[in-house]
Amino acid sequence: MKKLFLVLFLIIISSGFLVAQREITGKVNDEDQNPLSGVSVVVAGTNVGTLTDINGQFSLQIPPNATTLVFTFIGMKRVEMEIGNLTVFNVTMSFDVGLLDEVIVIGYGTIKKSDLTGSISSVKGDNIRLQAVGNVVQSLSGVAAGVQVLQTSGQPGSGTNVVIRGGNSLLGDNNPLYIVDGTPMITDLSMFNTNDIESIEVLKDASGTAIYGSRGANGVVLVTTKKGKSGGLSVEYSGYYGVQQVTKKIEMLNAKEFASLVNERYLNDGLSPYFSSSEIESFGEGFNWQDAVFKVAPIQNHSLRLSGGSDKTTYSISGSYFGQDGIIINSGYNNLQFRSRIDTKITKDWSFAVNTVLSRRMNNNIHSNNTERGMGVLSAAVGCPPTIPAYDANGDYSFMMAYPFSPEGLENPIAMAYERIMKNHSNDLSLNLSTSANIFKDLTLYSSIGIQYDNAREDYYSGTKLFASRTGMANIGYSELMNILNENTLTYKKVIGTNHDLTILGGVTAQKNTAQNLRAGSTGFLTDILQNYSLQSGENFQTPTSDYSDWTLLSYISRINYSFKSKYLFTASIRADGSSRFGSNNRWGYFPSFAVGWNINEENFLKGNPTLNILKLRMSWGQTGNTSITPYQSLSVLSSIQTVFDKNLNIGYAPGNIKPNPDLKWETTAQSNIGLDVELFNNRLSLSSDFYYKKTRDLLVNIPVFPSTGYASQTTNLGNIENKGLEMALNWRVFDQKFLWNLGSTFTLNRNKVLSLPQGGDIFGTEIGWVLPAMNLVREGYPVGVFYGYIEDGLTEDGNIKYLDLHPDGTINTLDRTIIGDPNPKFIFGINSDMSYKNFGLTVLINGVQGNDILNYNLSNIGDSFSYGINQTKDIIGNYWTSQNPNPNAKYPRISKNTRFLGSDRFVEDGSYVQVKNIKLSYSLSGDKFKASRIHNSQVYISLQNIITLTKYTFYTPIQNTLGTGINKGIDKWGYPDARLFMLGVMVNL
Amino acid sequence: MNKNIIILLLVIIGSSCTDFLDEKPKDRLTEINFYETFADAQAAVNAIYGPIRNNYRDTYFLMLDLLADYLEGRGSTSPVSEYKGFDVTNINRAAAAWRYLYQTIRNANIAIERIPKIEGMKESDKNALIAEASFLRAFSYYFLVRLWGAVPLYLDLSPVDLSRRPVSEVYQAIINDLKTGETYLPDTPSEFGHPTKWSAKSLLAEVYLTINEFDLSKDKAGEVITSGHFNLVDVNVANDFNNVYGPEANGTPEEIFYIKFNHTAGWTMPHKYLWDRDQFSPFGSYVVYCVPGPFFTNWDDNDLRKKFNIFSQYINRFTGEIETLPSSTPILVSKYRDNNAPSNSNYGNDAPVLRFADVLLIYAEAAPLAENQISAQALECLNRVKRRAYGYPNRSASAVDYSADGLSVEEFRDIVIQERAYELFMEGGDRWFDLRRIGREKEIILANTGKTLVDKHILWPIPQAEIDNNPDINQSDQNPGY
């Protein structure tokens, strides 16, 4: 094997003899004192160097100005030594776990990086651990090219979606398929602790994803967890503690300004002022609701891992706790997790592995996202009248609908946070047993059984102190998910002669997923004490509901990898998937891929070129599918309907809202990819870039059916979408002497376009809320989910909004709408700087998203010219139309309860941002000073997260997609804000 | 050992049997094996009530009343009572109502088309169930045609013409369905909530009145009145009206066709005008209030309906003290009370659709217009309603009786219309439809509220989803102003 590496990394260094050269010699061993041959020994900053011989020895003529000797060997940690006056160098190199064998994980196997034909972003565990995150995938943001991490909420423990290379599909959130140690997950990755992650590979092109067939269209994220290593017991502790705070507050009217605006509305509506001038004078600043609702919140993570093993058996056992309080009172999340992994070799050819993860997660939620007009905590905190304090004279929660102009349903946000319990507990068990055996010389059988079982309990109790639930309302939801997967593969791996490297994979997998839900509730409680722990204590019972669904998937897979002289690479794969979700006529889908690669640097004319170390061209084409439809869409099912005769319930059956479609079939995405990998100047500068083109056909679409049919929608296969783009990942080792500086950057550009739709017609997203209709549009020739609405043209003489009559017929109606914004970014980027000097390290991570629009729905509540009676932003002062100063260009129309708003460009804002995501300053307890200490290789650090965000967006966070990342993307409807974070951490290795 | 693994693998592969991929839902029925028995037929008819109930539980019922000249909405419902056209929120609510009404029609069409094919069912059972479905279909079209004007008319499951059909054609379909109803529906309901032949006749009387067929209207109303099945519930004090409208009232002599509710199934909307502090209800969100003005000042304080239906003072349920409503909302509605409602959405009060008082007043209005004179029967019908409202037995002459002396037919009609306003106060749009029926909606609304009704407010907007997706309806078919 080592010979192979020698061939791969042979660098011939030519150098002439100079006058003042002197000779040095030495020996390189590994940690077990075995000699290492083929180690590259280079004088830093020069081309002078050699390789160690079979005994690990070397000798080298060095120039007089030589200061540092650099030892590199694949799979080993780089070693640098000061030359000084030494002439003999004895060096011990240790294994670099992250780079071991330079092997990349791919679907159903691994591959040498140099043999890779696909487009994969590989992220090491250390990069994942940079940030304090509740969900592992959040750490991919800005680090992996082509990957966009989107939030649906800033609430701890909720809402992270990942979109790889643009959205293909109009159904679902376009989330990728998550595979952990080979097992497809039925949930996201929130059950895993970041400290257990060895690496994450994001498969982006069809060469990598086609082997996952019908589930690969949105990309595949492969997670590899840490294994034990043979050797003595190793103990790792990692922990941090931090505090979080809201990044900003919205400036709202104070009590005095609020009261004056009330009077303005009363006057404009022909009524006498509501507040007297002396009342207004007495108000002053009033109560600041946001101060009462936001808090400084702690966050912490502790994880402990024990690992080790013998030659035959290795183990890794870990436990961790992650706890995060929300920045809004009485919200938070924690995750308790236990994991064990045991790998054992029963015989030389037969091994066995068991991987178990147990996790318990608890979300303490508050109503915020997608509740409006003071019916959720955030919208109430921003919109409540500043003239009323949180508590009345008796110390009870104040009544928020105290005025005749008060909005209906406005609640006291503090009462809502504390008196409405919304807790989710989920318990996840993931168990994977696998065995691998060399049946014959080159043939390996791998077989596994994976079980994932999740149960979740949803607790809801809305207390009697809330206006909406005067006698209490209790509810329990219980759900159970069970997923069983069996995978069997045979891999034939053979090096034929010295030139032909062949790997053939074949396999069959079967998966069954069942989901069950049960829900019950009651109302009418004498006291809040019992909460929802005793449903029978309520006077009245909700009708209990339950449901069951399952789906099955049966698949056959095959792949061939072939490499000729490590120069010419070829990969082909195919997967046949049969899914129960589709109509019996279209049950099976076939997903092929082909890819070629050319390691140009292996050609004679480049071999050993000191400047151009790696030059590689990759090309791939393939097809993947999407099954993101809920079961039973192809069957005409009847739903039960309740009705009352006399005073008793009766049951009826009728079709539901969705019109069945027996002809449903796969949505298929064909993707082509061309990639180029370049490494220059002694691998100091590397650039990996990919161009891709994806076309999705037979798009699964929920098309609206005109409501007079009695149906609302139908799922059907119609239309095409394309995504094309460019990704670049650049890595530059700026300095690598005493002062190390590594600068990385990713750049992603995606263009999404709808090519055709059913009958060429438009598809709208869902209605956004009470005030605005559906504004996301899917239209031929435009990106998915563009904002569609009216364009404003100042104000009329009486202070109402004037809209452009784009379809000139004298009236403003829906024909006057046009495209007014695009939630899809023009490009996204990340900058990742990693510096270290002696024991100090400084890491900075910057993320940017440019050219996207956000629909700031919140303005329709707090910038509605007080028409609904909700407090307004300070921006309104001096910016609204008055009869004294009837400015037709005033930003806000007449203050009146009759002022109306249509879905217009008023609500569309530039959502671009540049965010300093993370700054981390660390001190390593390593080097001579700590050599003797037991805790060498440990680290302490401070870290700042989300510290600066440059944006024009006016609401809290330009990152929320509260209605998801499918068609309804880019909408911020009272999204729980992001937090700024300061933390202290430590990593200890014993 | 290696051999064992291969055998295991083969077993696993072999065990993936052929029906592994078949989809068989366990928690729901499919159309393939339904509509085969009498019970299935009943369930198909029961399902028609689902969307009707959902519609009433949504904002629909309240929106109909907000169009009356006595009611004002707060917050999001305010535009309905401002008469300046709907805003987005209420356009969406109108769309929801449209969807529910057509879902009712779809479910009725399924029953009407599927039930005749069921084997082994008695012909009379089939006819009765088909008649019930027809009645509910007519009931839905009757609201559609009055709120939207011309509407798509589907009388089977695969309609060819999807366009807006003329108002007259829709009314003809309604009349046909109701004639089926009066022929085949039972004399008395198996359970209250199902229509009877008398429900069909009552609705026919109202439909005929709406399209100015006074003769036919009078005849149908007369048949119901003389049937001997119905009477008014006499009251002595205002609170006795709870025997008519309260959550316990079921199968009263006044009930002809109601949308039924109970504490389990829930019913939100009509109760949003109460709120937790008053003595009438532990819930509500105080969402509507009455427009102070001539309507209420002209309403006789001795009328027990006034005392029952509205209030200006209340007993604070927390302090026990009598409090007066604020000057900005001096009058609130207290008609539907349920002190035992377990939650905000679990009121047990029914929604009266056809009540005997309604039929009496239809007769009182239609007969004089048909006969061109005020008959004693017509006057008696009007007086029976008024007597009961003032606490007198409804069948014997009283001190509050109207006299027809010196009144023209038109003047008498005005009195009946006003009596309807008091009697059918907040019963789901009767007032608005009455004003439109006599063509004086603009004048009377201006007089009673000071607000100008603009034309675009008269017909509701066709839902955008209908215009966008129905091949036979486009933007130019939209109702004026939208």
Side-chain angles (χ1 to χ4, degrees):
Chain A
M1 279 304 262
K2 281 173 186 166
K3 267 188 188 161
L4 184 71
F5 291 133
L6 200 148
V7 172
L8 275 172
F9 287 88
L10 187 70
I11 297 166
I12 298 162
I13 292 143
S14 59
S15 59
F17 284 88
L18 294 170
V19 180
Q21 282 182 333
R22 64 188 178 100
E23 188 176 75
I24 55 167
T25 58
K27 187 176 180 200
V28 184
N29 288 331
D30 68 12
E31 283 169 311
D32 298 333
Q33 298 309 311
N34 301 317
L36 284 173
S37 68
V39 175
S40 151
V41 185
V42 180
V43 177
T46 71
N47 292 332
V48 180
T50 184
L51 297 174
T52 56
D53 64 16
I54 190 90
N55 298 316
Q57 290 176 330
F58 70 94
S59 67
L60 184 64
Q61 298 284 335
I62 58 165
N65 58 344
T67 55
T68 310
L69 217 47
V70 181
F71 298 82
T72 53
F73 186 71
I74 193 79
M76 295 290 187
K77 278 190 182 150
R78 171 191 176 88
V79 174
E80 294 187 20
M81 289 190 84
E82 281 192 46
I83 296 173
N85 294 322
L86 291 175
T87 51
V88 179
F89 294 81
N90 286 319
V91 176
T92 302
M93 293 184 85
S94 57
F95 286 105
D96 186 345
V97 177
L99 290 170
L100 197 65
D101 281 356
E102 280 272 35
V103 158
I104 300 277
V105 180
I106 56 171
Y108 302 98
T110 56
I111 195 168
K112 280 184 291 180
K113 192 181 177 192
S114 56
D115 284 354
L116 189 66
T117 51
S119 172
I120 294 183
S121 293
S122 187
V123 183
K124 296 295 168 218
D126 287 342
N127 283 324
I128 293 159
R129 279 181 284 281
L130 259 184
Q131 299 176 55
V133 290
N135 186 338
V136 173
V137 293
Q138 281 168 277
S139 57
L140 294 178
S141 178
V143 177
V147 177
Q148 196 183 2
V149 180
L150 294 162
Q151 259 181 218
T152 54
S153 172
Q155 178 147 303
S158 72
T160 304
N161 287 331
V162 170
V163 177
I164 296 170
R165 293 190 165 178
N168 304 315
S169 184
L170 299 181
L171 285 183
D173 282 324
N174 285 302
N175 271 316
L177 175 66
Y178 294 108
I179 311 269
V180 178
D181 295 327
T183 307
M185 304 301 288
I186 49 169
T187 52
D188 64 9
L189 297 179
S190 51
M191 68 187 279
F192 291 91
N193 190 285
T194 49
N195 285 297
D196 280 328
I197 309 290
E198 180 75 51
S199 68
I200 293 182
E201 264 86 22
V202 183
L203 313 184
K204 297 180 290 191
D205 74 335
S207 161
T209 57
I211 199 77
Y212 290 105
S214 62
R215 289 171 296 174
N218 296 327
V220 179
V221 174
L222 300 179
V223 178
T224 309
T225 58
K226 283 181 179 166
K227 265 183 174 178
K229 284 196 291 278
S230 44
L233 172 70
S234 151
V235 179
E236 285 170 38
Y237 165 80
S238 163
Y240 58 75
Y241 182 89
V243 286
Q244 315 155 85
Q245 140 189 60
V246 68
T247 51
K248 74 172 193 188
K249 285 176 186 162
I250 309 294
E251 276 208 80
M252 303 301 291
L253 298 184
N254 66 25
K256 191 175 166 184
E257 294 157 345
F258 175 81
S260 311
L261 202 70
V262 172
N263 283 357
E264 171 81 17
R265 182 178 119 172
Y266 268 63
L267 284 172
N268 284 342
D269 289 343
L271 303 166
S272 46
Y274 186 82
F275 292 107
S276 70
S277 48
S278 61
E279 269 178 307
I280 292 181
E281 282 313 309
S282 70
F283 277 139
E285 275 299 312
F287 190 77
N288 188 324
W289 286 97
Q290 288 180 85
D291 288 350
V293 163
F294 287 117
K295 67 163 190 176
V296 173
I299 180 171
Q300 56 188 310
N301 186 42
H302 305 280
S303 69
L304 187 67
R305 189 168 85 98
L306 309 176
S307 63
S310 65
D311 290 348
K312 291 197 168 144
T313 303
T314 61
Y315 62 89
S316 169
I317 297 169
S318 60
S320 64
Y321 169 81
F322 173 81
Q324 183 180 12
D325 273 16
I327 48 171
I328 293 181
I329 50 175
N330 205 25
S331 62
Y333 169 71
N334 62 54
N335 181 357
L336 205 61
Q337 188 238 35
F338 172 81
R339 195 180 148 261
S340 78
R341 174 166 181 155
I342 295 163
D343 292 84
T344 184
K345 276 187 177 157
I346 294 165
T347 68
K348 192 170 138 277
D349 292 325
W350 187 24
S351 66
F352 193 75
V354 54
N355 201 347
T356 313
V357 185
L358 255 171
S359 111
R360 177 169 171 84
R361 284 173 285 158
M362 200 278 281
N363 290 66
N364 190 13
N365 292 326
I366 51 146
H367 259 141
S368 169
N369 272 32
N370 303 323
T371 54
E372 59 174 307
R373 288 181 161 180
M375 294 183 188
V377 176
L378 188 63
S379 67
V382 174
C384 271
T387 47
I388 303 177
Y391 300 96
D392 63 19
N394 302 325
D396 296 328
Y397 298 116
S398 302
F399 179 56
M400 284 298 111
M401 284 175 273
Y403 303 117
F405 56 81
S406 298
E408 81 213 36
L410 181 65
E411 294 270 10
N412 185 323
I414 297 169
M416 225 180 320
Y418 287 116
E419 303 297 330
R420 182 170 292 164
I421 290 150
M422 296 170 70
K423 280 191 178 136
N424 291 350
H425 288 90
S426 53
N427 304 302
D428 309 275
L429 169 67
S430 168
L431 183 68
N432 194 61
L433 301 166
S434 64
T435 182
S436 149
N438 281 328
I439 308 177
F440 306 112
K441 194 162 158 267
D442 301 304
L443 189 66
T444 309
L445 168 75
Y446 172 86
S447 184
S448 75
I449 290 181
I451 293 171
Q452 198 185 344
Y453 173 80
D454 293 68
N455 66 47
R457 186 185 144 111
E458 229 180 281
D459 288 294
Y460 180 92
Y461 181 76
S462 193
T464 57
K465 286 174 180 152
L466 289 175
F467 194 74
S469 53
R470 275 296 179 211
T471 64
M473 191 182 292
N475 218 299
I476 297 173
Y478 187 81
S479 66
E480 213 178 68
L481 274 177
M482 179 80 174
N483 187 56
I484 302 178
L485 169 75
N486 168 238
E487 300 201 317
N488 313 284
T489 60
L490 279 169
T491 308
Y492 177 78
K493 201 170 166 49
K494 175 98 178 160
V495 180
I496 304 163
T498 47
N499 292 336
H500 309 279
D501 193 338
L502 183 67
T503 310
I504 302 173
L505 168 88
V508 56
T509 81
Q511 189 172 7
K512 176 161 184 167
N513 187 298
T514 57
Q516 296 189 70
N517 293 293
L518 174 65
R519 183 172 286 279
S522 63
T523 56
F525 290 88
L526 294 175
T527 163
D528 285 337
I529 292 170
L530 296 170
Q531 298 184 355
N532 70 334
Y533 293 106
S534 169
L535 294 181
Q536 67 273 25
S537 300
E539 280 180 19
N540 282 82
F541 304 115
Q542 287 174 13
T543 311
T545 57
S546 69
D547 60 69
Y548 170 95
S549 67
D550 63 27
W551 56 260
T552 48
L553 187 71
L554 183 65
S555 317
Y556 299 94
I557 57 173
S558 181
R559 181 174 58 211
I560 297 174
N561 291 80
Y562 170 71
S563 129
F564 178 71
K565 285 188 169 175
S566 296
K567 250 189 244 178
Y568 309 112
L569 316 166
F570 173 75
T571 310
S573 73
I574 186 159
R575 181 174 183 127
D577 267 339
S579 169
S580 64
R581 282 189 260 205
F582 293 93
S584 50
N585 305 333
N586 295 303
R587 189 150 279 164
W588 284 88
Y590 303 92
F591 305 96
S593 82
F594 305 97
V596 291
W598 181 21
N599 279 320
I600 306 171
N601 53 289
E602 291 289 329
E603 296 288 351
N604 287 336
F605 57 88
L606 276 179
K607 212 163 189 173
N609 187 311
T611 312
L612 189 58
N613 312 109
I614 287 182
L615 180 64
K616 179 175 178 181
L617 188 64
R618 297 175 275 109
M619 286 198 279
S620 72
W621 174 89
Q623 287 187 340
T624 46
N626 184 353
T627 47
S628 67
I629 55 167
T630 50
Y632 314 136
Q633 304 267 313
S634 63
L635 299 175
S636 44
V637 293
L638 301 173
S639 338
S640 74
I641 290 168
Q642 288 181 330
T643 186
V644 176
F645 299 118
D646 285 337
K647 286 288 173 186
N648 309 315
L649 287 185
N650 283 258
I651 298 295
Y653 284 97
N657 283 326
I658 298 170
K659 205 172 175 181
N661 182 355
D663 297 321
L664 274 185
K665 59 180 173 185
W666 308 88
E667 171 179 305
T668 309
T669 299
Q671 180 174 192
S672 310
N673 189 85
I674 298 180
L676 189 70
D677 300 328
V678 184
E679 287 193 20
L680 298 168
F681 316 119
N682 241 336
N683 311 83
R684 192 179 276 272
L685 188 67
S686 69
L687 173 72
S688 180
S689 56
D690 283 278
F691 296 89
Y692 59 87
Y693 179 85
K694 289 199 289 185
K695 184 170 169 184
T696 306
R697 64 182 160 75
D698 297 330
L699 215 51
L700 284 166
V701 199
N702 267 332
I703 50 165
V705 175
F706 47 102
S708 64
T709 56
Y711 293 100
S713 67
Q714 184 179 38
T715 308
T716 182
N717 292 95
L718 284 162
N720 302 311
I721 285 182
E722 71 170 25
N723 280 281
K724 53 188 175 189
L726 166 68
E727 288 159 12
M728 285 194 280
L730 182 79
N731 204 58
W732 182 21
R733 223 162 57 227
V734 186
F735 298 112
D736 54 4
Q737 306 288 316
K738 270 186 183 167
F739 175 54
L740 294 174
W741 186 18
N742 201 64
L743 195 59
S745 169
T746 63
F747 175 84
T748 306
L749 176 153
N750 185 71
R751 292 290 177 270
N752 169 285
K753 191 159 101 179
V754 179
L755 298 176
S756 67
L757 285 176
Q759 293 113 37
D762 292 342
I763 296 171
F764 283 91
T766 51
E767 276 163 25
I768 310 174
W770 283 14
V771 194
L772 302 180
M775 288 180 73
N776 291 100
L777 177 73
V778 183
R779 171 176 282 184
E780 284 180 6
Y782 292 91
V784 170
V786 287
F787 298 136
Y788 190 64
Y790 300 90
I791 293 178
E792 292 191 11
D793 183 26
L795 302 177
T796 61
E797 281 172 11
D798 52 359
N800 287 314
I801 298 170
K802 213 153 73 181
Y803 298 96
L804 283 183
D805 191 10
L806 294 177
H807 182 262
D809 53 8
T811 61
I812 296 299
N813 58 28
T814 52
L815 294 175
D816 297 310
R817 291 177 297 174
T818 185
I819 286 161
I820 54 174
D822 183 357
N824 301 288
K826 298 274 174 287
F827 61 91
I828 60 178
F829 64 92
I831 298 170
N832 186 352
S833 156
D834 194 355
M835 292 183 221
S836 65
Y837 180 75
K838 291 190 170 161
N839 293 353
F840 289 95
L842 177 69
T843 311
V844 179
L845 179 62
I846 294 169
N847 274 355
V849 173
Q850 291 299 309
N852 63 311
D853 293 313
I854 297 179
L855 194 100
N856 185 351
Y857 183 85
N858 314 299
L859 287 183
S860 73
N861 287 190
I862 57 170
D864 69 346
S865 287
F866 204 59
S867 58
Y868 197 68
I870 283 174
N871 197 10
Q872 303 284 296
T873 60
K874 257 208 162 84
D875 187 44
I876 202 168
I877 296 176
N879 281 328
Y880 61 85
W881 184 96
T882 61
S883 47
Q884 294 81 34
N885 177 21
N887 176 6
N889 296 316
K891 185 168 170 187
Y892 296 95
R894 179 189 177 91
I895 308 299
S896 161
K897 75 167 173 177
N898 289 319
T899 295
R900 300 268 181 276
F901 293 82
L902 297 177
S904 70
D905 51 351
R906 161 181 300 269
F907 305 105
V908 176
E909 294 189 14
D910 184 354
S912 305
Y913 69 88
V914 176
Q915 187 173 52
V916 181
K917 192 91 192 137
N918 192 54
I919 299 177
K920 177 179 169 184
L921 181 65
S922 62
Y923 183 80
S924 296
L925 310 180
S926 60
D928 295 344
K929 234 187 277 182
F930 298 94
K931 219 165 209 166
S933 159
R934 279 187 63 102
I935 54 164
H936 74 99
N937 262 336
S938 299
Q939 194 189 62
V940 291
Y941 62 89
I942 56 174
S943 169
L944 299 163
Q945 223 163 285
N946 292 348
I947 201 71
I948 303 164
T949 306
L950 303 173
T951 182
K952 287 181 197 153
Y953 186 61
T954 59
F955 208 59
Y956 291 103
T957 316
I959 300 169
Q960 316 291 12
N961 288 270
T962 58
L963 288 174
T965 50
I967 300 184
N968 302 303
K969 62 179 99 174
I971 291 172
D972 183 357
K973 184 178 173 189
W974 296 106
Y976 192 113
D978 254 13
R980 175 180 294 154
L981 170 64
F982 171 82
M983 68 178 192
L984 288 166
V986 55
M987 283 194 274
V988 182
N989 288 310
L990 296 175
Chain B
M1 188 52 80
N2 289 345
K3 267 183 194 162
N4 290 345
I5 294 171
I6 294 169
I7 291 164
L8 180 73
L9 177 68
L10 292 175
V11 167
I12 291 164
I13 295 172
S15 68
S16 35
C17 40
T18 44
D19 60 354
F20 185 68
L21 296 176
D22 279 344
E23 192 170 38
K24 284 184 226 108
K26 293 184 181 171
D27 64 338
R28 57 202 94 185
L29 301 169
T30 64
E31 266 185 70
I32 301 157
N33 50 10
F34 203 67
Y35 307 116
E36 286 173 356
T37 65
F38 181 41
D40 291 355
Q42 282 182 313
V45 171
N46 287 351
I48 306 169
Y49 293 88
I52 297 178
R53 285 165 45 77
N54 286 337
N55 204 12
Y56 272 73
R57 289 177 60 193
D58 213 329
T59 32
Y60 175 67
F61 189 85
L62 187 67
M63 282 173 77
L64 293 176
D65 282 327
L66 280 164
L67 291 165
D69 55 344
Y70 44 70
L71 207 60
E72 191 139 8
R74 272 158 55 109
S76 66
T77 57
S78 157
V80 181
S81 56
E82 290 294 316
Y83 302 109
K84 300 286 181 288
F86 286 2
D87 65 338
V88 173
T89 307
N90 290 292
I91 287 172
N92 291 342
R93 287 173 175 164
W98 170 283
R99 198 175 64 236
Y100 285 130
L101 288 161
Y102 272 106
Q103 217 166 55
T104 312
I105 290 162
R106 178 199 67 181
N107 292 358
N109 283 338
I110 290 172
I112 291 166
E113 210 161 293
R114 294 286 201 141
I115 290 171
K117 295 175 191 157
I118 296 177
E119 286 167 23
M121 225 181 113
K122 272 195 286 182
E123 214 49 34
S124 57
D125 287 339
K126 282 187 183 179
N127 285 338
L129 286 171
I130 291 167
E132 184 170 350
S134 303
F135 174 86
L136 297 169
R137 182 168 72 180
F139 169 70
S140 299
Y141 275 121
Y142 183 46
F143 277 102
L144 279 165
V145 74
R146 287 180 296 167
L147 292 170
W148 280 274
V151 289
L153 182 63
Y154 307 146
L155 301 171
D156 57 63
L157 288 175
S158 31
V160 180
D161 186 342
L162 311 172
S163 67
R164 295 184 71 175
R165 303 307 304 159
V167 168
S168 58
E169 203 178 306
V170 179
Y171 273 113
Q172 194 51 54
I174 292 169
I175 290 164
N176 292 345
D177 273 346
L178 292 175
K179 283 182 171 166
T180 306
E182 69 171 340
T183 312
Y184 294 111
L185 280 169
D187 201 44
T188 53
S190 55
E191 295 159 300
F192 285 95
H194 290 291
T196 60
K197 63 161 60 166
W198 308 108
S199 315
K201 286 181 194 291
S202 302
L203 191 54
L204 255 182
E206 192 182 322
V207 169
Y208 283 137
L209 183 61
T210 307
I211 57 171
N212 296 333
E213 296 278 2
F214 304 120
D215 252 336
L216 294 167
S217 175
K218 181 201 91 174
D219 291 350
K220 287 296 155 200
E223 285 178 44
V224 177
I225 293 164
T226 55
S227 71
H229 278 86
F230 306 101
N231 194 3
L232 294 175
V233 176
D234 282 328
V235 302
N236 294 314
V237 293
N239 278 350
D240 289 348
F241 273 112
N242 258 329
N243 301 330
V244 179
Y245 303 108
E248 310 297 329
N250 179 43
T252 69
E254 281 186 65
E255 180 170 344
I256 295 178
F257 181 65
Y258 291 5
I259 309 298
K260 309 293 282 184
F261 294 93
N262 70 14
H263 281 170
T264 315
W267 180 26
T268 316
M269 209 50 213
H271 305 286
K272 285 205 168 169
Y273 39 70
L274 293 171
W275 87 121
D276 65 331
R277 298 197 171 187
D278 63 51
Q279 75 270 34
F280 307 113
S281 155
F283 303 104
S285 50
Y286 193 172
V287 76
V288 297
Y289 52 99
C290 295
V291 189
F295 186 92
F296 293 98
T297 47
N298 294 340
W299 197 346
D300 187 348
D301 287 339
N302 294 320
D303 188 336
L304 298 178
R305 292 172 299 196
K306 186 179 186 182
K307 224 172 263 175
F308 184 76
N309 289 348
I310 57 171
F311 66 101
S312 292
Q313 284 189 326
Y314 63 97
I315 302 165
N316 185 314
R317 73 165 61 227
F318 301 118
T319 63
E321 283 168 27
I322 292 178
E323 290 180 14
T324 304
L325 290 170
S327 61
S328 51
T329 60
I331 308 169
L332 294 182
V333 180
S334 51
K335 180 159 178 166
Y336 302 97
R337 309 164 179 185
D338 186 353
N339 253 317
N340 295 317
S343 86
N344 222 354
S345 52
N346 291 44
Y347 282 78
N349 311 60
D350 295 339
V353 174
L354 292 165
R355 200 154 57 74
F356 187 53
D358 195 352
V359 180
L360 288 171
L361 292 171
I362 289 170
Y363 188 92
E365 185 179 350
L369 292 161
E371 296 157 349
N372 206 20
Q373 57 160 340
I374 306 161
S375 66
Q377 294 98 307
L379 182 64
E380 176 66 7
C381 284
L382 174 65
N383 278 330
R384 282 179 72 180
V385 173
K386 188 175 181 189
R387 288 169 199 148
R388 190 272 294 265
Y390 281 73
Y392 297 100
N394 78 80
R395 292 205 210 232
S396 37
S398 79
V400 296
D401 281 12
Y402 286 107
S403 155
D405 291 350
L407 289 178
S408 69
V409 167
E410 284 70 33
E411 286 164 335
F412 187 75
R413 189 184 198 189
D414 289 348
I415 292 169
V416 176
I417 292 288
Q418 192 57 43
E419 196 63 34
R420 283 177 66 86
Y422 298 144
E423 180 64 28
L424 305 174
F425 184 78
M426 301 284 295
E427 290 191 19
D430 293 273
R431 177 64 171 169
W432 167 250
F433 293 129
D434 284 352
L435 296 181
R436 287 202 44 217
R437 178 155 52 79
I438 61 171
R440 290 171 58 194
E441 62 269 37
K442 287 189 180 176
E443 166 205 336
I444 292 176
I445 284 169
L446 183 64
N448 281 336
T449 68
K451 294 175 198 165
T452 308
L453 168 66
V454 303
D455 285 336
K456 82 180 265 197
H457 206 82
I458 291 176
L459 289 179
W460 289 13
I462 305 263
Q464 198 58 40
E466 190 71 34
I467 292 170
D468 288 345
N469 301 299
N470 182 333
D472 290 348
I473 296 181
N474 53 49
Q475 184 64 45
S476 61
D477 298 317
Q478 178 60 288
N479 279 331
Y482 294 100

